[in-house]
Amino acid sequence: MMMANGMRPHPVTNTGERLLDVKGLTIEIDTRRGPATVVDGIDLHVDHGETLGIVGESGCGKSLTMLSLMRLLPNKIKVTKGEANFAGRDLQKMSNADLRKVRGGEVGFIFQDPMTSLNPVMRIGQQLAEPLIYHRGMTKAQARKRAGELLRLVGIPGPEERLDAYPHELSGGMRQRVMIAIGLACNPQLLIADEPTTALDVTIQAQIVDLVKELRDKLGMSVVWITHDLALIAGLVDRINVLYAGTVVEDAPVDALFANPSHPYTQGLLASIPKLTDERSARLSSIGGTPPEPGRRPKGCPFAPRCPLVEQICHDRVPSLKGIGQAGAHRVACFVAQRKLEAASWAPNR
Amino acid sequence: MSTVPVTTPVETDIEPPVSLWRDAWHRLRRNRLAVFGLIVVIILASTAAFGPYLTPHDFLSQDLGARNLAPSMSHLFGTDDLGRDVFSRVVYGTRTAFLVAVVVTFIAVLIGVTLGAMAGFFGGLLDRIVMWLTDMTMSIPNLLLVVVINASLKSPIASWMESRYLATLNPIYRETVWVDFLLVFGSMALISWPPYARLVRAQVLSIRSRPYITAAQALGLTNRIILMRYVVPNALGPLIVAVSAGLGTAMVLESAFSFLGVGVNPPTPSWGNMISDGLRVWQHYPHLLAAPAAILGLASVAFSFLGDGLNDALNPRGAK
Ligand SMILES: Nc1ncnc2c1ncn2[C@@H]1O[C@H](COP(=O)(O)OP(=O)(O)OP(=O)(O)O)[C@@H](O)[C@H]1O
Ligand code: SF4
Ligand SMILES: [Mg+2]
């Protein structure tokens, strides 16, 4: 496929600085019983051109973390600690006007639910044109032309005719493609995709993943892809962060994670990937119990109540992320896993 | 940082995005009932505006030699017990009906939208107060409230006006018709705003938390654009329906009050007081009841068809 007119890969600006760098981000919800922590001092980073996968059970704080980066949290939910830097600028502190330029212009979002994330009373051509007019100063005619190109780029047949369609006139898969097109409209440096395929059936899920992969390679952007489904994104991402109850429990290059899952929770996740058949109910079946409710986090390791390897120390102290592989690229927050690897590296024949 | 090179503006015959309104109009035109409603409403509205100047007879002039005549060429709807031309009275009654309906609905929508939007937007204590007011107002039977207002305010105001007239001899204080209208407008608006408040509050609440609003924010659009292109158009459909139906309801309500003698008073013709008069003699002179009743029914049906049609037209999902 020809590269769409005007779409160019981002130049790799290797200043050593990370594109996205989140440090100690804590998010609390105001409940009737007082504030409850849902995201607990999370650390995340994305390098230029890198694709990060974020996996974790429903409710572990994936969406809130991403929304908080763009200061899009709903009313009663607040960031109470930590910082988030994008291309060296603190997103939490920047002015509203600057933030609006980042939103949509430099960071594209693809939302979880294509059925409700498009404005039902606006033609999709106009929804695509909106950010182009706003961020790129295009005229209506220019924006409409680009909107058609974007629809072609995301593989929508008859893109010019589709510009005049309303969201309800498109299938779920088509709408998801429209959402991707909107996310990509301004050629962002970072694309955040929040479970963009959960509402779709399996073959379309795979198509969407391939599409994003192709576009990423073509446009040279960084991607954060959130999912429940490790298997789905194995071929897409460079690195995976496993989230549990609002903290990163394992951070590893994708191959290392599959070859050597070190956190008991990750091991459970991998063991529960159903072979060939994608039966959602089978997911996580090998891990008993449920994650802690917000506001009722255990004092020590958040996974302790469900962990098969739990020890006394796990109840007393919170494990922090520590490098276990070469160069510290593979990190895990588990006392037992850390000790095992230390022991292994001390072994005389190693 | 990358920029998207702006393509040189080329002459294209691509049509600009058609607006929501133009689309709505296209859809409305395909809906027969809505078109019927629209035509009736337009006819009635022009009747209200120009009719009184065009009628063959004066609505007040009595012809005691021509009482209770059946419809004929010179008196299309016949004459009443004072020999007044019923057609002319119905035409003038249309003006009364529209005046009351439009003013009452306008005041009610103004109060309702303001209170409802604030309640939905700010929430908290304000929301609770507004909702309490709404429930209170809705729990009082309409007629009771209007009767109470009229009964308690009418005679003091009338006697005050009389004393002003005696003191100043200014004829303005003799114009009791306006007091009538004022009381009717005021009391009707006072009982008509709660549904608008509820509707708008619910709309604002639900639209504010819709994912497409977050998605629009994530695109970096300003609050103004989000409000104008995302919130308002999505909230508008139900409000327009409510207003359209509300106009019809206000007409019925005005007639009901006039019928009960607490609305617009004779000799100003109103469909309601004509129905009330006609009802007394309908066995002998059915046209005296039929003419105002039919036109009231027609108006109320037309407004509700138009409202439904507008709702479907403004909601693209409703398109067939
Ligand atoms: N608007 C809200 N009001 C109150 N609590 C919320 C709200 N949104 C999310 N939460 C809570 O915050 C926690 C994290 O939610 P979040 O949406 O980030 O989860 P998630 O990891 O994205 O889950 P999923 O995979 O289901 O999308 C959940 O426990 C959820 O109950
Ligand atoms: S720290 Fe302890 S409880 Fe937590 S995951 Fe490791 S072994 Fe399990
Ligand atoms: Mg989510």
Side-chain angles (χ1 to χ4, degrees):
Chain A
M1 207 211 271
M2 272 289 297
M3 188 173 295
N5 184 12
M7 287 287 196
R8 261 196 226 128
H10 289 279
V12 180
T13 45
N14 218 338
T15 53
E17 159 192 280
R18 282 171 166 155
L19 181 61
L20 178 70
D21 201 358
V22 178
K23 287 189 201 120
L25 193 79
T26 300
I27 302 176
E28 289 181 2
I29 301 187
D30 266 344
T31 65
R32 280 198 205 94
R33 279 172 279 134
T37 304
V38 267
V39 171
D40 193 13
I42 204 169
D43 291 326
L44 286 177
H45 63 90
V46 181
D47 287 325
H48 288 273
E50 187 185 36
T51 299
L52 173 70
I54 295 184
V55 241
E57 271 164 294
S58 186
C60 70
K62 304 183 294 292
S63 300
L64 290 187
T65 304
M66 290 306 137
L67 288 174
S68 76
L69 297 183
M70 292 294 119
R71 308 210 312 239
L72 291 169
L73 290 175
N75 263 345
K76 295 192 166 165
I77 308 183
K78 301 238 152 47
V79 171
T80 52
K81 266 185 247 143
E83 60 183 78
N85 292 297
F86 176 75
R89 291 166 295 165
D90 190 338
L91 291 167
Q92 301 297 319
K93 294 209 178 95
M94 98 183 9
S95 73
N96 283 331
D98 287 344
L99 184 68
R100 274 201 300 275
K101 290 194 192 114
V102 175
R103 290 177 178 174
E106 295 167 48
V107 177
F109 247 99
I110 303 174
F111 284 93
Q112 202 158 354
D113 186 0
M115 298 306 174
T116 56
S117 299
L118 291 168
N119 183 354
V121 301
M122 200 189 268
R123 295 164 181 277
I124 59 171
Q126 210 183 334
Q127 300 194 46
L128 270 162
E130 208 82 78
L132 293 168
I133 294 170
Y134 182 73
H135 289 294
R136 296 288 182 247
M138 290 190 184
T139 64
K140 275 190 179 174
Q142 289 167 339
R144 185 176 164 89
K145 191 157 176 288
R146 171 58 48 80
E149 290 167 6
L150 283 163
L151 289 189
R152 176 170 300 117
L153 190 70
V154 296
I156 289 185
E160 265 79 31
E161 296 90 82
R162 297 300 175 141
L163 288 175
D164 286 330
Y166 285 100
H168 72 95
E169 292 168 336
L170 303 179
S171 68
M174 285 298 143
R175 276 190 238 189
Q176 195 59 74
R177 284 166 194 261
V178 171
M179 299 263 300
I180 293 173
I182 292 176
L184 294 175
C186 292
N187 200 9
Q189 291 170 275
L190 175 66
L191 182 71
I192 298 177
D194 187 355
E195 303 192 47
T197 63
T198 21
L200 308 175
D201 63 51
V202 189
T203 44
I204 302 190
Q205 286 189 5
Q207 284 175 19
I208 298 277
V209 170
D210 289 344
L211 174 69
V212 169
K213 195 170 164 182
E214 189 189 318
L215 293 173
R216 174 200 61 189
D217 295 343
K218 198 183 276 182
L219 308 176
M221 62 194 170
S222 303
V223 178
V224 174
W225 186 292
I226 298 174
T227 184
H228 300 283
D229 194 344
L230 255 177
L232 180 73
I233 56 163
L236 170 74
V237 300
D238 302 316
R239 196 158 53 85
I240 288 182
N241 277 4
V242 180
L243 244 66
Y244 184 78
T247 53
V248 177
V249 294
E250 187 158 5
D251 168 24
V254 61
D255 299 336
L257 190 94
F258 280 97
N260 183 20
S262 300
H263 196 281
Y265 177 65
T266 315
Q267 290 164 357
L269 275 182
L270 284 173
S272 66
I273 290 178
K275 306 280 178 268
L276 287 174
T277 52
D278 183 289
E279 190 60 59
R280 278 192 193 175
S281 56
R283 220 160 34 190
L284 304 187
S285 58
S286 62
I287 308 175
T290 51
E293 281 172 46
R296 300 206 180 169
R297 310 169 62 82
K299 185 164 129 288
C301 172
F303 191 56
R306 295 168 79 185
C307 183
L309 309 176
V310 62
E311 297 178 357
Q312 187 50 47
I313 185 177
C314 309
H315 293 298
D316 300 335
R317 288 173 44 206
V318 184
S320 58
L321 271 181
K322 282 206 186 109
I324 52 171
Q326 320 91 317
H330 188 162
R331 301 183 302 157
V332 62
C334 167
F335 294 121
V336 173
Q338 286 162 2
R339 201 173 55 223
K340 245 192 232 158
L341 267 121
E342 261 161 47
S345 61
W346 278 108
N349 57 353
R350 202 143 177 247
Chain B
M1 245 208 58
S2 81
T3 49
V4 177
V6 174
T7 40
T8 37
V10 273
E11 291 305 318
T12 53
D13 48 9
I14 306 172
E15 261 190 64
V18 188
S19 76
L20 178 69
W21 295 105
R22 192 124 57 92
D23 277 348
W25 172 238
H26 287 309
R27 276 191 296 267
L28 188 70
R29 276 200 326 208
R30 288 202 299 267
N31 180 341
R32 291 226 185 108
L33 287 179
V35 170
F36 164 77
L38 183 64
I39 291 173
V40 172
V41 166
I42 290 174
I43 291 175
L44 287 175
S46 1
T47 306
F50 310 114
Y53 307 115
L54 303 176
T55 52
H57 305 273
D58 179 50
F59 68 92
L60 279 179
S61 75
Q62 305 178 1
D63 180 357
L64 295 180
R67 294 163 48 182
N68 297 327
L69 291 184
S72 67
M73 277 317 284
S74 65
H75 298 285
L76 275 180
F77 291 171
T79 59
D80 67 5
D81 56 346
L82 295 174
R84 295 174 299 193
D85 179 46
V86 175
F87 180 73
S88 306
R89 291 183 65 72
V90 168
V91 166
Y92 201 93
T94 308
R95 172 175 281 191
T96 309
F98 263 84
L99 190 64
V100 174
V102 168
V103 175
V104 165
T105 306
F106 180 79
I107 301 174
V109 166
L110 205 68
I111 302 176
V113 169
T114 311
L115 289 181
M118 290 199 320
F121 196 80
F122 295 110
L125 185 63
L126 187 69
D127 186 27
R128 265 177 304 190
I129 294 175
V130 170
M131 284 300 98
W132 177 80
L133 263 177
T134 311
D135 292 340
M136 272 268 299
T137 315
M138 285 179 100
S139 67
I140 302 172
N142 286 355
L143 286 174
L144 188 68
L145 189 70
V146 173
V147 170
V148 167
I149 290 176
N150 274 299
S152 58
L153 288 184
K154 204 160 204 159
S155 64
I157 290 182
S159 60
W160 176 79
M161 298 252 309
E162 191 59 27
S163 67
R164 289 304 300 159
Y165 175 69
L166 292 177
T168 61
L169 287 183
N170 187 339
I172 224 174
Y173 293 109
R174 270 276 147 103
E175 280 291 339
T176 54
V177 172
W178 290 108
V179 179
D180 245 29
F181 274 121
L182 208 72
L183 280 173
V184 173
F185 290 159
S187 49
M188 281 178 61
L190 217 60
I191 57 174
S192 304
W193 65 266
Y196 299 112
R198 283 198 169 173
L199 180 77
V200 169
R201 173 181 176 270
Q203 287 287 308
V204 170
L205 275 183
S206 95
I207 291 171
R208 226 176 45 147
S209 61
R210 302 255 171 97
Y212 59 79
I213 298 297
T214 310
Q217 289 172 324
L219 281 179
L221 305 180
T222 58
N223 283 340
R224 201 180 60 83
I225 291 181
I226 292 173
L227 200 68
M228 300 302 292
R229 309 231 190 108
Y230 289 74
V231 178
V232 170
N234 279 292
L236 218 52
L239 185 64
I240 285 179
V241 182
V243 168
S244 177
L247 286 168
T249 312
M251 287 183 181
V252 174
L253 204 62
E254 184 276 321
S255 296
F257 291 164
S258 297
F259 179 79
L260 293 172
V262 291
V264 177
N265 280 356
T268 309
S270 122
W271 297 338
N273 58 36
M274 291 176 72
I275 290 173
S276 166
D277 292 345
L279 205 57
R280 272 183 258 133
V281 293
W282 73 271
Q283 276 124 328
H284 308 292
Y285 310 110
H287 64 275
L288 294 184
L289 175 61
I295 206 99
L296 172 62
L298 187 67
S300 136
V301 166
F303 273 110
S304 92
F305 283 168
L306 180 62
D308 284 349
L310 283 171
N311 186 38
D312 294 346
L314 284 169
N315 178 358
R317 266 165 304 191
K320 304 278 136 51

